[in-house]
Amino acid sequence: FDAPDLGIDFHGNISLEKDHNLDVMGSWRLAGYGFHPSKGTFSAGGPIESIDVNVALNDPSDIRVVGVIKDLFDNPTWIADLDARNVNIEDWILHCPPIILKKVHGDMSGDFGHYRGLVIADGYWGVADKLHLRSDIDGDVSGIAFKSLRLDRNDTSAVATNASISWQKLFSWEADLDFSNFVLSMFFPDLDASVSSSFHSVGDVTEKGLEASFALKTMEGRYTDYLWSASGNIGLTEERIFSSDLTITSGSVGGKALVRYFDFSWADKLSWKTDLDLYQFDPGFIHPEITGKVSGRIKSVLTWEGDLPLGSLDIADLSGELRGSELLGAGSIAIDGSALSSSGLELFL
C-alpha cells in the first residue's frame, strides 16, 4: 500500500484453520498528520483474536511498542508497552522545540483511532537538565489531552491541568499551569532568582510565527533577598512581549507599579514603549543596589529610523526616597538620532 502520506509494505502467512494464525512482518512510512517524515518496521503473530504485535520507529527516533491486539474484526482494541531512548521531539513532531527524552516508558491502550495511558520520561530541554515527567495522556491523530502532567527538576516543579496540544493547524496549546520554586539560574547561571506562579496559557504556532498569551492568577518571586509579586496579562510572539494590564508589587515595602502598557520588541533592533504609575514602589525589584520608595508616572518610547534612535523619557510627579535620600523630579528627555535634548527635566536627591 502506497499513498502520499502513508505507506505499508509487508509479507507473511495467515492460516485458514480455525484460529486463523497470523505471521507477518514489514515496514511502514508516515509523512504528514503533524509529523516529520518517519519510517519503521512491524511484525505480528498469533491467533487473529489475540495478535502479538511489535512496532518500531527507526527514523528519526528509536521508539519500540510491544503489545497485543484483541478482536481485530469485531471491536479492535490494543494494549502495549512503549519504550524509547534518546528521542529528540523536534525531529519527530512538526513545530516542536528541541526536547530530548533520554528514557521513556508508557503503559498504553486504545483502538485504531485513539490512545491513552501513563507516560514517564527523563530528559532535558536546552540547559534544563535532569527533568522528570509523569503524565496521564489521552490522544488521537490530531492532538493530545493531558489528564495530568507533572514536571520535576530538583526542588522545582511544574503541574499542568486542563492541558492539551494540537497539530490540527500547525501547533497549538492550552493549559492551566502551576510553577513552584522555578529557579532562573537554570537558564541564567549568574542570576540568583526564583519564581512561583499560577497562570492560564493559550498559544499557537502559525505561519507568521509564535502567538501566546499568559493570564497571571498569581506570581511571586525572589531576586537575591528581594521579594516581589505580579498579576495581570502578558502576550508573547517570536518578536515581542507586551501587556496593557500588569501590576507588580514590591514585597519589602508593599509598594506597587501599575503598568498601563508595555511593548518590548526585538524584531530588528531592541525597541519599546512603556507607560507606568509607581506607588511607593521599591525599584530594588530591578536592581538590589537601588532600593527605596518611589511614586510618580514614567513614560518611555524607543524606536529606530535606520541606524538612528528616536525616543523619549517623560517623568511626572516623581517623589519618594532612593537609597536613603529624598527623591523629587519631573520633566522629559528626548533623543533624535545623535541629538539629546531636555525640556525642563529636574531630579533632586
Side-chain angles (χ1 to χ4, degrees):
F1 174 77
D2 193 21
D5 294 335
L6 180 65
I8 301 175
D9 181 18
F10 65 94
H11 62 276
N13 301 290
I14 182 169
S15 170
L16 298 179
E17 297 177 356
K18 181 179 178 181
D19 290 336
H20 299 295
N21 281 306
L22 184 69
D23 182 13
V24 300
M25 62 181 60
S27 60
W28 59 270
R29 66 169 184 81
L30 177 68
Y33 303 101
F35 296 93
H36 288 290
S38 309
K39 59 184 179 181
T41 58
F42 68 92
S43 64
I48 204 73
E49 290 300 313
S50 182
I51 305 171
D52 294 323
V53 176
N54 287 263
V55 180
L57 171 66
N58 301 324
D59 185 24
S61 302
D62 182 13
I63 301 175
R64 311 284 165 167
V65 178
V66 178
V68 177
I69 298 177
K70 299 282 189 179
D71 300 327
L72 179 62
F73 294 124
D74 294 329
N75 182 29
T77 59
W78 56 267
I79 57 173
D81 290 334
L82 178 150
D83 288 283
R85 292 184 179 275
N86 300 318
V87 175
N88 186 344
I89 299 295
E90 181 186 36
D91 293 338
W92 185 34
I93 300 177
L94 289 171
H95 311 294
C96 272
I99 300 173
I100 311 299
L101 301 178
K102 297 181 67 176
K103 183 172 67 173
V104 183
H105 178 76
D107 297 314
M108 311 297 295
S109 64
D111 52 40
F112 287 159
H114 188 254
Y115 57 90
R116 68 189 69 86
L118 177 65
V119 177
I120 299 173
D122 295 291
Y124 61 93
W125 178 7
V127 296
D129 59 355
K130 300 178 182 178
L131 298 175
H132 179 74
L133 179 142
R134 182 183 180 93
S135 182
D136 190 0
I137 67 174
D138 193 328
D140 56 27
V141 295
S142 63
I144 301 173
F146 298 91
K147 293 184 177 179
S148 65
L149 190 154
R150 182 181 179 92
L151 185 66
D152 291 283
R153 181 184 184 268
N154 300 330
D155 294 330
T156 298
S157 67
V159 177
T161 56
N162 301 317
S164 63
I165 60 174
S166 172
W167 40 84
Q168 283 184 308
K169 296 179 286 185
L170 287 182
F171 183 78
S172 59
W173 75 84
E174 182 170 5
D176 291 311
L177 295 158
D178 290 283
F179 286 89
S180 177
N181 194 34
F182 187 81
V183 180
L184 299 182
S185 60
M186 182 191 311
F187 297 101
F188 308 100
D190 296 329
L191 186 61
D192 180 18
S194 63
V195 176
S196 296
S197 181
S198 176
F199 60 93
H200 181 76
S201 177
V202 178
D204 287 287
V205 177
T206 70
E207 293 178 354
K208 296 181 180 179
L210 172 68
E211 296 179 1
S213 65
F214 303 87
L216 304 180
K217 300 175 184 176
T218 62
M219 177 175 277
E220 299 176 345
R222 177 192 58 80
Y223 177 44
T224 60
D225 295 326
Y226 183 87
L227 302 178
W228 59 271
S229 62
S231 62
N233 296 282
I234 297 174
L236 177 68
T237 72
E238 289 185 349
E239 297 180 341
R240 54 191 283 257
I241 182 171
F242 56 93
S243 176
S244 58
D245 175 23
L246 187 65
T247 300
I248 301 171
T249 302
S250 53
S252 59
V253 294
K256 68 178 181 180
L258 175 60
V259 182
R260 297 173 181 263
Y261 182 82
F262 80 80
D263 191 330
F264 287 87
S265 172
W266 50 91
D268 183 14
K269 298 181 178 68
L270 179 64
S271 61
W272 67 74
K273 183 177 181 181
T274 64
D275 184 358
L276 66 153
D277 291 317
L278 304 178
Y279 302 93
Q280 295 292 299
F281 184 73
D282 186 349
F285 170 76
I286 302 169
H287 196 284
E289 294 298 320
I290 53 171
T291 60
K293 299 179 181 180
V294 179
S295 298
R297 185 169 185 179
I298 300 175
K299 300 171 68 175
S300 178
V301 176
L302 177 66
T303 60
W304 294 83
E305 188 173 295
D307 292 330
L308 299 177
L310 304 173
S312 64
L313 172 66
D314 298 295
I315 299 173
D317 302 321
L318 196 65
S319 64
E321 57 95 8
L322 197 62
R323 299 188 65 181
S325 299
E326 185 179 8
L327 174 67
L328 293 171
S332 64
I333 297 175
I335 183 171
D336 186 353
S338 59
L340 185 68
S341 60
S342 172
S343 58
L345 177 63
E346 294 183 317
L347 292 176
F348 299 94
L349 274 172

